[in-house]
Amino acid sequence: MKNPTLQIEKIVDETKDCRSFFFESEKLAQAQPGQFFMVWVPGVDEFPLAASYTSDSDGTFGITVEAVGDGTRALYDSKIGDHIGIRGPYGNGFEITGKNILLVCGGRGTIPLALLAENAAKKEIKIDAILGARSADKLLFKDRLEKATNVSIATDDGSAGVKGFVTGIADEMLGKNKYDCVYTCGPEIMMFKLLAICEKNNVPMQASLERYMKCGIGICGSCACGSVRICKKNVMASSELKELSAFGTEKLDKAGRRVKA
């Protein structure tokens, strides 16, 4: 399996926990919001990360990582000039539909949605966004969202915006406003609750799911969610999610055991 290495060209600290790395590749810069790359840190690990920045004009793209394990820590500590293996893009991206949309972003789930917001804004689509995190210092891509959308904020500890969860704000906004589609990424329990809110308000939803991934190309099955291999179809519509019994309930862990989602 071809796994080219690319040189880190630029590094940006996004929050105290998250850091973005930029590379040059005209092919990989074509990634759509919601698609992901398999990122290999030589000698450490390979893991999936969503595309967080793309630029058609200069062929650059970015990935954003929080150090939560050996592989992501090794990437987080990498320097400009280091070489990282990156293959992809994989999965299917969000499909932008309608003229008035709502983004519901939970934690690192903001990564693909910030790119989606920028692409949708170029099409002159009216965008509202709800950005959530545990605390104010963990609000990811707040500035990027504010440039492209009307942003509401929720934090678990109340240090910024409303004290509570993004689903509470989403319930209020969907009851007051008419949206053509809701886009979401974040903790699965958040997206599971949001699906019920969207169904109540008869609004379609697209969600980007995350599962444990090894091959990234639909062979190993470690990312299986019911009958769907998430590496092949990570963005799913509400109609598809309703038919997926494992959504919001169970997933496979690193050893292939079924655990609570």
Side-chain angles (χ1 to χ4, degrees):
M1 186 180 299
K2 189 175 181 180
N3 194 0
T5 60
L6 297 174
Q7 180 173 288
I8 297 173
E9 303 291 342
K10 186 174 75 171
I11 299 173
V12 174
D13 285 332
E14 306 286 3
T15 68
K16 71 173 187 178
D17 301 314
C18 289
R19 181 171 291 170
S20 293
F21 295 83
F22 293 82
F23 305 85
E24 293 181 357
S25 167
E26 292 185 1
K27 174 181 178 291
L28 301 188
Q30 301 301 312
Q32 299 301 305
Q35 289 190 298
F36 66 92
F37 304 109
M38 292 302 293
V39 179
W40 172 56
V41 182
V44 184
D45 198 2
E46 187 184 52
F47 46 88
L49 288 177
S52 56
Y53 295 87
T54 59
S55 173
D56 290 337
S57 60
D58 62 6
T60 62
F61 70 97
I63 52 177
T64 302
V65 66
E66 179 179 5
V68 295
D70 292 343
T72 51
R73 167 58 67 184
L75 176 60
Y76 188 90
D77 291 336
S78 297
K79 309 298 181 185
I80 291 175
D82 288 351
H83 282 74
I84 301 297
I86 298 180
R87 55 186 175 93
Y90 295 128
N92 59 315
F94 290 105
E95 181 181 354
I96 301 175
T97 60
K99 290 295 183 182
N100 188 15
I101 64 176
L102 174 65
L103 313 184
V104 181
C105 320
R108 295 194 304 273
T110 310
I111 292 172
L113 294 177
L115 184 58
L116 173 68
E118 292 168 344
N119 286 8
K122 293 176 184 175
K123 298 181 179 181
E124 299 184 349
I125 293 173
K126 183 179 182 300
I127 312 165
D128 289 332
I130 308 170
L131 173 61
R134 293 196 294 274
S135 57
D137 59 358
K138 291 182 177 294
L139 289 169
L140 183 59
F141 295 142
K142 177 173 174 287
D143 291 345
R144 289 177 71 187
L145 288 176
E146 287 178 337
K147 290 179 181 177
T149 75
N150 301 307
V151 183
S152 301
I153 292 173
T155 51
D156 295 1
D157 65 359
S159 54
V162 173
K163 183 177 181 179
F165 302 119
V166 291
T167 46
I169 300 178
D171 198 12
E172 292 182 11
M173 293 179 68
L174 283 162
K176 295 177 181 176
N177 306 307
K178 173 65 176 177
Y179 294 103
D180 297 312
C181 191
V182 174
Y183 299 83
T184 187
C185 186
E188 191 155 314
I189 186 62
M190 178 203 85
M191 297 192 291
F192 183 75
K193 292 179 178 178
L194 183 62
L195 176 61
I197 295 170
C198 288
E199 285 190 285
K200 181 179 70 175
N201 290 279
N202 196 31
V203 180
M205 183 182 98
Q206 293 182 35
S208 178
L209 274 61
E210 179 180 292
R211 283 292 189 277
Y212 190 81
M213 294 183 188
K214 294 180 180 177
C215 72
I217 54 175
I219 295 176
C220 72
S222 61
C223 64
C225 183
S227 60
V228 177
R229 301 198 175 198
I230 297 302
C231 68
K232 300 289 287 184
K233 191 171 187 176
N234 56 305
V235 174
M236 302 184 71
S238 48
S239 57
E240 298 168 310
L241 292 168
K242 288 167 58 179
E243 303 298 323
L244 200 60
S245 60
F247 175 60
T249 59
E250 66 177 30
K251 62 182 180 181
L252 300 180
D253 67 8
K254 189 174 183 177
R257 297 169 297 204
R258 296 184 185 280
V259 297
K260 186 176 180 180

